[in-house]
Amino acid sequence: MMSLRRSAACLLAGFLLVPGARAWGPEGHRIVAELAQRHLSPAAEAQVERLLAPEHTRRLADIATWADDIQDDPAQKALWKATRRQHYINFRDRTCGYQPPRDCPDGRCVIGGLAHYAAVLADRSQSEAARREALKFVVHFVGDEHQPLHAGYRPDKGGNTFQVRFEGKGSNLHRVWDSGMLRTRALDWQDYAQRLDARGPVALPPASDTPYVAWAQESCRLSRDIYPDGHAIDAGYVEAELPLAERRLREAGRRLAELLNRTLG
Ligand SMILES: [Zn+2]
């Protein structure tokens, strides 16, 4: 029998996970990275291979979750602290208007994080180590920014405090979007990426002069319509919303490839 103390500890652990707000789970991030990898130009691919050589990989999927993983590494405590707010943005209201000093003070939001690390990656005067780290953040943040609940406007920590029932268990809307819905396909990330890639290039909205702002605002607008009426996530919800989650993965993958081809090509 589970002791009261233990169940209280589990409950507490559940709450402690809430502020983590990691956006896509590992599968989602790896899918985005793999979709991008498949569309790198030969020049960009060669650069990726060179930058990632010390990591003993050439696959973007292998480094796609590093920006989240550092929170569990005591040696990276300062870096995690400096970057943890760059995985998301909280918009003020449902108009999704963006005022940098208000919504992204000191660049501490996903828009600022992406702009910073994309610039470091593009700067050939930076050290290889700095550009390698920048590549890892860019791969991750492009994914995060396309998760609608990572650029929402409601005061619910990106749906983390919006409790739902999903597959017979208590969960929250953020977690369902991170990983719960994707898992209903029962595919590993390689097969999932393969299937999404086979659908061909996803149509993108017209390019913006400020793409990192535009991508976050897209997520914010999409987040308006993804809240269930009640607090139960049923098969009908998944059927309606999973295609949107998959479209965001495909958009993120295509945009990440374009960004890397432009920056590293
Ligand atoms: Zn993240």
Side-chain angles (χ1 to χ4, degrees):
M1 198 178 91
M2 196 188 233
S3 74
L4 206 64
R5 201 151 151 211
R6 194 161 146 232
S7 49
C10 290
L11 202 65
L12 186 64
F15 280 118
L16 289 176
L17 285 174
V18 165
R22 295 178 177 215
W24 300 116
E27 294 88 351
H29 278 292
R30 289 188 186 119
I31 290 167
V32 169
E34 178 60 20
L35 287 173
Q37 182 102 35
R38 288 162 174 253
H39 298 280
L40 290 180
S41 65
E45 188 156 37
Q47 288 267 331
V48 164
E49 192 175 344
R50 200 174 50 76
L51 283 170
L52 294 185
E55 311 267 335
H56 307 291
T57 184
R58 52 195 293 182
R59 310 297 309 173
L60 296 172
D62 290 336
I63 52 88
T65 64
W66 173 86
D68 278 338
D69 299 338
I70 59 172
Q71 69 188 288
D72 302 318
D73 180 354
Q76 304 278 20
K77 208 173 164 188
L79 185 61
W80 168 249
K81 214 177 151 204
T83 55
R84 59 191 290 259
R85 289 173 195 279
Q86 294 179 325
H87 294 243
Y88 60 90
I89 178 170
N90 295 319
F91 284 100
R92 162 81 46 113
D93 57 47
R94 61 179 292 118
T95 64
C96 306
Y98 178 59
Q99 291 179 28
R102 181 191 71 189
D103 304 318
C104 197
D106 301 320
R108 280 174 301 149
C109 78
V110 68
I111 295 169
L114 202 40
H116 171 71
Y117 285 110
V120 173
L121 182 62
D123 182 355
R124 311 274 163 141
S125 73
Q126 295 274 345
S127 70
E128 291 271 304
R131 294 181 68 219
R132 176 163 42 256
E133 185 180 285
L135 174 63
K136 294 195 273 187
F137 278 119
V138 165
V139 169
H140 186 88
F141 290 159
V142 171
D144 275 352
E145 206 179 30
H146 283 75
Q147 210 275 42
L149 288 169
H150 252 245
Y153 62 91
R154 293 200 191 193
D156 65 0
K157 298 192 190 299
N160 268 295
T161 62
F162 190 95
Q163 303 299 313
V164 296
R165 243 183 124 71
F166 178 61
E167 296 180 327
K169 291 194 226 78
S171 186
N172 67 66
L173 192 61
H174 189 95
R175 199 181 302 170
V176 167
W177 271 82
D178 261 3
S179 52
M181 281 200 299
L182 300 180
R183 286 198 188 125
T184 65
R185 291 270 196 228
L187 294 168
D188 63 32
W189 64 266
Q190 289 99 330
D191 289 340
Y192 213 144
Q194 163 67 37
R195 291 239 199 144
L196 294 180
D197 196 41
R199 293 186 198 170
V202 64
L204 294 174
S208 160
D209 290 341
T210 51
Y212 311 140
V213 178
W215 302 346
Q217 287 179 319
E218 286 170 9
S219 281
C220 177
R221 291 185 201 109
L222 292 169
S223 81
R224 292 174 193 155
D225 299 322
I226 63 179
Y227 282 78
D229 290 332
H231 286 266
I233 301 290
D234 56 13
Y237 179 93
V238 173
E239 201 182 315
E241 300 296 340
L242 184 51
L244 174 60
E246 292 178 344
R247 196 184 90 209
R248 291 305 273 169
L249 294 173
R250 294 168 72 210
E251 288 173 348
R254 181 165 172 197
R255 285 165 163 166
L256 177 59
E258 288 175 359
L259 191 164
L260 296 177
N261 287 339
R262 206 170 47 241
T263 309
L264 302 175

